[in-house]
Amino acid sequence: MKFDEIKYERLDLQAIKKRGIELEKQLRNAKSYEEAKSILKEIDTFMADDFMTPMSYLHIKNTIDTSDKFYEDEVKYYNKKMPMFIGLMRKLNKDLVESPFKEEFIKDGYSIKIKSAEVSLRQNKLSVALLSMKESDLKMQYSKTVAQAKTNFM
């Protein structure tokens, strides 16, 4: 499939949040390492396929044509909705860092993921997230301004 053939659809953020909450509870309540590992893989797939890939597509479309009001408005929409995921992401990171299976995760090659979760827990506070959203809006405005600049070379 070519990039231009991909169809954009606004994400159902409530459904994504609901699924994320279900997965967080499953990870927190896992009875064995194998169960926890399976849930962690499911979380990674879910986040990549259902959230990050569509968001990346949206940002690419917005960057390609900064004058396209539709994609600009979509980016603004998501920037406003992201705080609803901060608590969920903190819970997922906390569950991983405090997991009774943490040592098994590290031995099984998840040390970078755990270290990333530890760093996220220190950084991802609501106040920081709100500033990050403001930064994202300012970056979008800057990119749009730069893209509209024209220079005469002669």
Side-chain angles (χ1 to χ4, degrees):
M1 176 181 286
K2 295 182 180 179
F3 186 79
D4 290 341
E5 296 172 350
I6 298 172
K7 185 176 185 250
Y8 171 76
E9 290 181 25
R10 182 178 273 188
L11 298 175
D12 182 349
L13 296 179
Q14 291 300 328
I16 290 172
K17 184 175 182 181
K18 182 180 176 188
R19 181 67 179 134
I21 290 169
E22 291 169 2
L23 290 168
E24 183 273 330
K25 286 179 184 174
Q26 289 176 18
L27 180 62
R28 184 172 12 101
N29 296 321
K31 302 293 184 216
S32 69
Y33 172 66
E34 288 304 319
E35 181 184 2
K37 181 179 171 183
S38 174
I39 294 164
L40 186 59
K41 286 181 179 181
E42 190 174 345
I43 290 169
D44 286 345
T45 301
F46 165 71
M47 290 300 295
D49 294 350
D50 295 350
F51 189 73
M52 296 307 295
T53 299
M55 291 302 293
S56 294
Y57 175 79
L58 171 63
H59 283 281
I60 291 168
K61 290 294 278 187
N62 181 245
T63 303
I64 288 172
D65 183 1
T66 58
S67 66
D68 189 324
K69 184 92 170 105
F70 174 77
Y71 290 109
E72 179 181 346
D73 289 345
E74 287 296 286
V75 170
K76 287 179 182 178
Y77 167 79
Y78 288 114
N79 285 346
K80 288 178 185 163
K81 297 293 184 178
M82 283 306 114
M84 71 190 282
F85 291 98
I86 293 169
L88 175 60
M89 293 308 298
R90 285 190 63 78
K91 284 182 181 179
L92 284 167
N93 287 328
K94 187 175 184 215
D95 291 347
L96 184 58
V97 169
E98 295 178 357
S99 171
F101 312 110
K102 181 178 177 180
E103 292 306 315
E104 288 97 328
F105 279 126
I106 290 170
K107 287 177 189 170
D108 211 7
Y110 287 90
S111 59
I112 293 173
K113 186 166 197 64
I114 290 172
K115 184 58 84 176
S116 178
E118 291 170 346
V119 170
S120 281
L121 285 171
R122 288 194 297 268
Q123 292 178 337
N124 286 347
K125 296 189 171 36
L126 183 58
S127 60
V128 174
L130 294 173
L131 289 172
S132 293
M133 289 184 310
K134 174 92 172 152
E135 177 190 27
S136 181
D137 285 339
L138 292 171
K139 282 181 181 178
M140 188 171 60
Q141 289 174 6
Y142 176 79
S143 294
K144 187 174 182 177
T145 302
V146 169
Q148 291 173 346
K150 295 184 179 169
T151 303
N152 290 330
F153 290 99
M154 294 238 166

